[in-house]
Amino acid sequence: MKRVLTGALCAATVAMLGAALPAHAQSADTLSKISSSGKMTFAYRESSVPFSYLEGPEKPIGFAVDISNAIADAVRKQTGKSNLTVGWQAVTSANRIPLLQNGTIDLECGSTTNNSARGKDVDFAINHFYTGTRLLVKKSSGIKNYADLKGKTVAITTGTTNMQVVRRYNEEKGLGINIVSTKDHADAALLVEADRAAAFAMDDILLFGLKANAKDPASLEVVGDSLQVEPYACMIRKNDPKFKALVDGVITGMMKSGEFEKLYNKWFMQSIPPRNQSIGLPMSKELQDNIKAPSDKPAT
């Protein structure tokens, strides 16, 4: 594993960098940038199990990390520079888009929803997963669906589409839910485990991953209807057709060769680090259809 760039930048720093480098962010040819610098910088998440998370200090792993490494190999091949290195930068839901725009990172493959709103600021590669908002709760809570959350506290990660979805549902149904924002997914899960929140509303697959790696998985469960179905996709800088073509080519190539399905089984159906628990989530119909006809279509 190459050297990891530790720590997410604070919001003020992100804003400063974004203001300082707008021209570079929007006009850069990523492949030329990487070729001239001799290095590509990819993003990782600290707790988006099984897509992108830390197995140990300075060791990001996961389904999306493996895809990122395949993209790195393709970049080396296309540029003709086999010695190109990869630096890994931790990102959060709140700063991942600014860090991509200002050139700090060159690619973000994690658990990011491909939607039309984000498509105004970044471009998305081929969709690689489909998910919906559900709830992580303690089994002892008696909570089975959203109606059971009336007047209760719900944790949601800052900067996610889940925040918008749950807020809208809360207003429509008049549930009086108290929404608490957290920096990242692990923080929200801890609030549930510590009885400081009744539920954590997030993409169902991330909830299954957090449950599998919790200290006491048997005490937790994922419940509730999916409020919506949304695709995940890797983010690249806006208006960079050469790099998008490379990233799309890697992902569609994996889908056609069967490598994508092998990778899915590795991270979703088999035991994974750090607790050697299996998430046990078969591939959805939406993802199976996307493998047959790869698409970068966003959620509305």
Side-chain angles (χ1 to χ4, degrees), residues 7-223:
L9 298 179
C10 67
T13 304
V14 170
M16 180 183 69
L17 288 172
L21 297 170
H24 172 77
Q26 295 303 320
S27 63
D29 179 332
T30 299
L31 288 173
S32 295
K33 172 181 178 289
I34 291 171
S35 183
S36 61
S37 68
K39 178 182 179 180
M40 49 195 132
T41 303
F42 291 170
Y44 73 91
R45 298 296 297 272
E46 295 181 340
S47 58
S48 287
V49 182
F51 294 93
S52 179
Y53 64 107
L54 287 171
E55 181 182 21
E58 303 188 348
K59 189 178 181 182
I61 60 171
F63 179 72
V65 174
D66 283 353
I67 291 175
S68 297
N69 283 324
I71 292 168
D73 288 340
V75 171
R76 294 185 183 103
K77 184 176 181 180
Q78 185 153 327
T79 59
K81 295 186 175 182
S82 59
N83 60 343
L84 289 175
T85 61
V86 177
W88 292 92
Q89 169 70 51
V91 300
T92 66
S93 297
N95 69 18
R96 54 191 166 183
I97 290 178
L99 291 178
L100 182 65
Q101 289 178 310
N102 68 32
T104 300
I105 58 174
D106 299 309
L107 176 76
E108 193 272 345
C109 285
S111 53
T112 299
T113 297
N114 171 10
N115 62 25
S116 300
R118 289 173 177 159
K120 296 175 182 178
D121 299 316
V122 298
D123 282 333
F124 285 93
I126 296 299
N127 297 328
H128 61 247
F129 195 79
Y130 291 82
T131 186
T133 302
R134 297 180 68 194
L135 304 167
L136 179 71
V137 301
K138 279 191 170 180
K139 285 183 178 179
S140 59
S141 70
I143 296 170
K144 297 300 179 184
N145 219 326
Y146 295 91
D148 300 323
L149 295 173
K150 189 169 185 177
K152 292 182 169 62
T153 297
V154 175
I156 309 177
T157 308
T158 301
T160 61
T161 58
N162 313 87
M163 181 74 75
Q164 303 163 22
V165 169
V166 174
R167 278 179 174 166
R168 183 167 61 247
Y169 188 86
N170 184 36
E171 291 172 1
E172 290 174 353
K173 301 298 181 180
L175 295 177
I177 294 172
N178 174 37
I179 297 175
V180 175
S181 301
T182 66
K183 183 177 75 74
D184 215 333
H185 309 321
D187 298 325
L190 285 174
L191 291 182
V192 174
E193 292 178 275
D195 294 317
R196 293 174 60 191
F200 171 27
M202 185 47 55
D203 300 341
D204 55 3
I205 180 55
L206 300 182
L207 299 181
F208 280 111
L210 288 164
K211 176 182 180 296
N213 285 288
K215 292 180 180 179
D216 184 11
S219 70
L220 302 170
E221 61 181 342
V222 178
V223 302

